[in-house]
Amino acid sequence: MTDYRDRLRVKPGSKVRLKDVDPGYHGDGVTTADAAAMVAAYERQLELGQLKLYAESRRSLLIVLQGLDASGKDGVCRHVLDAFNPLGTTVSAFKQPTPAELAHDFLWRVHARAPGKGEVAVFNRSHYEDVLVVRVHGLVPRKVWSRRYEQINEFERQLGASGTTILKFFLYISKDEQLERFRDRLEDPRRNWKISLGDYEERSHWDEYIEAYEEALERCSTDDAPWYVIPSNRKWFRDLAVSQILCATLEDMDLRYPEPSVDLEEVRRQYHLAATGDGGRKKVKPGKGRPER
Amino acid sequence: MTDYRDRLRVKPGSKVRLKDVDPGYHGDGVTTADAAAMVAAYERQLELGQLKLYAESRRSLLIVLQGLDASGKDGVCRHVLDAFNPLGTTVSAFKQPTPAELAHDFLWRVHARAPGKGEVAVFNRSHYEDVLVVRVHGLVPRKVWSRRYEQINEFERQLGASGTTILKFFLYISKDEQLERFRDRLEDPRRNWKISLGDYEERSHWDEYIEAYEEALERCSTDDAPWYVIPSNRKWFRDLAVSQILCATLEDMDLRYPEPSVDLEEVRRQYHLAATGDGGRKKVKPGKGRPER
């Protein structure tokens, strides 16, 4: 089994050429049936890992999802990250900033949604938009956005230092695949409402977006907060790679349930063994007064 | 099939006597197998309903979960509310207030977590704690907490007027069932860390909590924001009742996908039919250059 964490990670300091990455890559000989079984197994691990993270309540996990429109950010939320208990997980979708958000520095609104101890936070789009859409459309001068790579690295380093493990996924689809997905949206009455001409118009900036992504991936993939380029033309492979990488990361965190804060034997003796009126009754077997149906 | 919305709702203005409610009630002849199938079907409906709510983006849903310790609030989050897409759903667990929260009025922290348009918000514990634990332990004078019922009603009425549908579930277990669940926690190494002596000590206030719940249910169950008393000794019945009530409520909201904002025919012609270099290729069938594996 390929280690996608190694295979798809952007090595710090390396050059990123998205032209050399095949967005249609789908593993080496993995079938969709294999993938479905593996994703299901990974999801059970993710569920367990998140429980321990929550129980431990000392560290946290931040998952950043980026990608062009229709690249599958929502799909990853629905199919992979759904494994996490909603209690203890927050998903923040960062859209066009509000006036209040624009009145602050670009990290302000994302900082507010960073995960607390024991929590998982998912950013569906993120502070990276401030070096992507903002750069492509010249929403601030180059002098301003070009400083942001280092500001982002500082910010992420600081989160890391306070116990947050960060993973960043770029869901990479081809321009043709995007058009196919727009077409599917057009042919599905339940998704017609999502269609906007703006999405089509953005396609004329495709190459500029790719260039902006390349620079962001290159300058902001660090040992503490790595970027992964996920070939995402095939949804099943995207889910497989993301879930495998997440599992490996959680495993490396070596999460453990904390020790109980009470003397279990004492609790057992004091509250459960006494046949007092305080509910200390014997456990009644199913079918004997405590039927399961 | 019993309509639990009708059966379990606290009728506005009616007297609540929890002694007359059987926390072990589990429907009229429903088997666990029936229930599992029904819950699965309801979950699919919930998933679809939430999608429409999100698409429509005009109204919102607020689900309040209350209950004594081990009554299953987390279980409902995990087993029922998990049907909602995490994107568009927030779960807020209100614990002991922080100093910043205590420096504000009791509705401040919950108001901040109210659902936006298109969103579902789940409150795991809520502003009701301010007439429950606060009352039982005398954390503020009676004069203060006794005013809160009306303040809560005003607050919920205001949310309702701005498009928020509110449902409130009291998960009702018996005192014996709680002790059983504490025992299960004691015997499960993965849950030992959760055990606190405080939970056992709270049992000595059981009757006061019941009394406080009765008054809250009585005074704050309104047509717009009804309380439901969910017999919860059996987890499967609890999930069945909650999911049925949620489905019926969403159905009554008559949610619909919005009309597309663009001329679909025009989009089809302009972007998908032209055989230009802009990705306007014919759809390639699986197995013909666009293999699924």
Side-chain angles (χ1 to χ4, degrees):
Chain A
M1 179 65 188
T2 312
D3 177 353
Y4 296 117
R5 200 158 51 140
D6 185 56
R7 177 93 154 75
L8 306 176
R9 191 176 66 242
V10 176
K11 274 77 181 169
S14 70
K15 197 81 194 147
V16 175
R17 287 257 165 273
L18 288 172
K19 275 202 178 60
D20 300 339
V21 177
D22 176 10
Y25 172 75
H26 50 94
D28 304 313
V30 187
T31 67
T32 50
D34 291 344
M38 286 187 284
V39 168
Y42 287 136
E43 288 191 346
R44 281 192 298 276
Q45 284 183 46
L46 290 178
E47 183 177 357
L48 204 68
Q50 185 257 341
L51 257 176
K52 287 183 188 167
L53 182 80
Y54 184 77
E56 186 197 82
S57 208
R58 280 179 41 229
R59 291 173 288 173
S60 50
L61 186 67
L62 171 60
I63 300 164
V64 172
L65 298 176
Q66 284 286 161
L68 288 155
D69 195 30
S71 60
K73 300 182 291 297
D74 293 4
V76 169
C77 284
R78 190 68 191 133
H79 298 296
V80 180
L81 306 177
D82 206 35
F84 296 133
N85 191 331
L87 193 69
T89 307
T90 59
V91 182
S92 304
F94 294 101
K95 303 185 180 168
Q96 209 167 325
T98 64
E101 288 169 350
L102 283 173
H104 294 82
D105 71 274
F106 78 104
L107 294 170
W108 179 74
R109 65 173 183 164
V110 292
H111 206 161
R113 305 292 294 162
K117 289 182 194 309
E119 290 178 1
V120 178
V122 180
F123 287 179
N124 188 327
R125 302 192 186 272
S126 66
H127 44 302
Y128 283 93
E129 291 296 332
D130 292 282
V131 291
L132 294 166
V133 64
V134 163
R135 164 177 169 161
V136 169
H137 288 285
L139 302 180
V140 302
R142 167 182 288 268
K143 198 182 144 198
V144 173
W145 61 251
S146 63
R147 275 200 307 255
R148 288 183 174 167
Y149 302 99
E150 203 34 56
Q151 290 167 339
I152 288 174
N153 286 340
E154 287 291 348
F155 170 64
E156 294 180 355
R157 193 150 41 229
Q158 189 264 115
L159 292 184
S162 77
T164 302
T165 295
I166 305 176
L167 296 100
K168 299 175 294 197
F169 296 106
F170 170 49
L171 307 182
Y172 183 38
I173 56 171
S174 64
K175 198 174 175 185
D176 282 356
E177 176 65 20
Q178 186 188 57
L179 193 65
E180 287 293 319
R181 293 187 184 184
F182 284 178
R183 186 202 301 269
D184 292 345
R185 214 178 261 183
L186 195 65
E187 303 312 330
D188 180 351
R190 289 169 307 172
R191 293 193 292 154
N192 284 172
W193 62 274
K194 281 190 183 179
I195 299 169
S196 105
L197 290 182
D199 293 343
Y200 285 92
E201 284 152 14
E202 282 295 88
R203 288 171 58 78
S204 65
H205 298 289
W206 188 274
D207 293 342
E208 296 153 77
Y209 272 109
I210 293 297
E211 204 182 322
Y213 265 109
E214 286 177 341
E215 186 162 355
L217 297 169
E218 242 170 62
R219 298 186 60 179
C220 300
S221 192
T222 60
D223 284 325
D224 287 337
W227 267 110
Y228 297 92
V229 177
I230 309 293
S232 298
N233 274 9
R234 286 178 181 75
K235 296 172 183 175
W236 62 265
F237 177 74
R238 170 200 77 198
D239 290 347
L240 173 63
V242 169
S243 58
Q244 194 213 55
I245 292 167
L246 278 170
C247 277
T249 303
L250 280 174
E251 190 152 320
D252 275 3
M253 290 175 76
D254 193 26
L255 296 157
R256 288 162 198 281
Y257 291 109
E259 291 297 311
S261 60
V262 296
D263 179 340
L264 298 179
E265 213 29 73
E266 176 59 29
V267 169
R268 200 170 277 123
R269 193 164 43 237
Q270 189 175 346
Y271 295 103
H272 291 283
L273 295 181
T276 67
D278 187 35
R281 68 192 166 96
K282 290 280 189 301
K283 181 142 188 159
V284 179
K285 287 198 183 61
K288 289 189 117 180
R290 200 170 176 255
E292 279 301 305
R293 41 172 283 186
Chain B
M1 178 67 188
T2 312
D3 176 354
Y4 295 118
R5 201 159 49 141
D6 185 58
R7 176 94 154 75
L8 305 176
R9 191 176 66 243
V10 176
K11 274 76 181 169
S14 70
K15 199 81 194 147
V16 176
R17 287 253 165 277
L18 289 172
K19 278 204 176 59
D20 299 339
V21 177
D22 176 11
Y25 172 74
H26 50 94
D28 303 313
V30 188
T31 67
T32 51
D34 292 343
M38 286 188 283
V39 168
Y42 286 136
E43 287 191 346
R44 282 192 299 276
Q45 285 183 46
L46 290 178
E47 183 176 358
L48 203 68
Q50 187 257 342
L51 258 176
K52 289 185 188 168
L53 183 79
Y54 184 77
E56 185 197 83
S57 207
R58 282 176 42 227
R59 291 173 287 172
S60 50
L61 186 67
L62 172 60
I63 300 165
V64 171
L65 298 177
Q66 285 284 163
L68 288 155
D69 195 31
S71 61
K73 299 181 292 296
D74 293 3
V76 168
C77 284
R78 190 69 191 132
H79 298 295
V80 181
L81 306 177
D82 206 33
F84 296 132
N85 190 331
L87 192 68
T89 307
T90 59
V91 182
S92 305
F94 294 101
K95 303 184 178 169
Q96 209 166 325
T98 64
E101 288 170 348
L102 282 174
H104 293 82
D105 72 275
F106 78 105
L107 294 169
W108 180 74
R109 64 174 184 163
V110 291
H111 205 161
R113 306 291 296 161
K117 289 182 194 307
E119 291 178 359
V120 178
V122 180
F123 287 179
N124 188 328
R125 301 191 188 271
S126 66
H127 43 301
Y128 283 94
E129 290 297 331
D130 293 282
V131 289
L132 294 167
V133 64
V134 164
R135 166 178 167 161
V136 168
H137 288 284
L139 303 180
V140 302
R142 167 182 286 267
K143 197 180 146 200
V144 172
W145 62 251
S146 64
R147 275 200 307 255
R148 289 182 173 167
Y149 301 98
E150 202 38 52
Q151 290 167 339
I152 288 174
N153 287 339
E154 287 291 348
F155 170 65
E156 294 180 355
R157 192 148 43 226
Q158 189 265 116
L159 292 184
S162 77
T164 303
T165 296
I166 306 175
L167 296 99
K168 300 174 294 197
F169 296 106
F170 169 50
L171 308 182
Y172 183 39
I173 56 171
S174 64
K175 197 174 178 185
D176 282 356
E177 177 64 21
Q178 186 188 58
L179 193 65
E180 288 292 318
R181 294 186 183 185
F182 284 178
R183 185 202 304 267
D184 292 343
R185 212 178 263 182
L186 195 66
E187 303 312 331
D188 180 353
R190 288 169 308 172
R191 293 193 292 154
N192 283 172
W193 62 274
K194 282 190 182 177
I195 299 168
S196 106
L197 290 182
D199 293 342
Y200 286 92
E201 284 153 14
E202 282 296 87
R203 289 172 57 78
S204 65
H205 298 289
W206 187 273
D207 293 342
E208 295 154 79
Y209 272 109
I210 292 298
E211 202 181 325
Y213 265 108
E214 286 177 339
E215 185 160 357
L217 296 168
E218 241 169 61
R219 297 186 59 179
C220 300
S221 192
T222 60
D223 284 324
D224 287 338
W227 268 110
Y228 296 93
V229 177
I230 309 293
S232 298
N233 273 9
R234 285 178 182 77
K235 295 172 184 176
W236 63 265
F237 177 74
R238 169 199 79 197
D239 291 346
L240 173 64
V242 168
S243 58
Q244 193 212 58
I245 291 168
L246 277 170
C247 276
T249 302
L250 280 173
E251 192 154 316
D252 275 3
M253 288 175 79
D254 193 26
L255 295 158
R256 288 161 198 281
Y257 291 109
E259 290 299 310
S261 60
V262 297
D263 178 341
L264 298 179
E265 214 29 72
E266 177 59 27
V267 169
R268 199 170 280 125
R269 193 163 44 236
Q270 190 177 345
Y271 295 103
H272 291 282
L273 295 181
T276 69
D278 187 35
R281 68 191 165 94
K282 293 277 188 303
K283 180 138 188 159
V284 180
K285 290 199 182 59
K288 292 189 113 180
R290 199 168 176 256
E292 280 300 305
R293 41 173 281 186

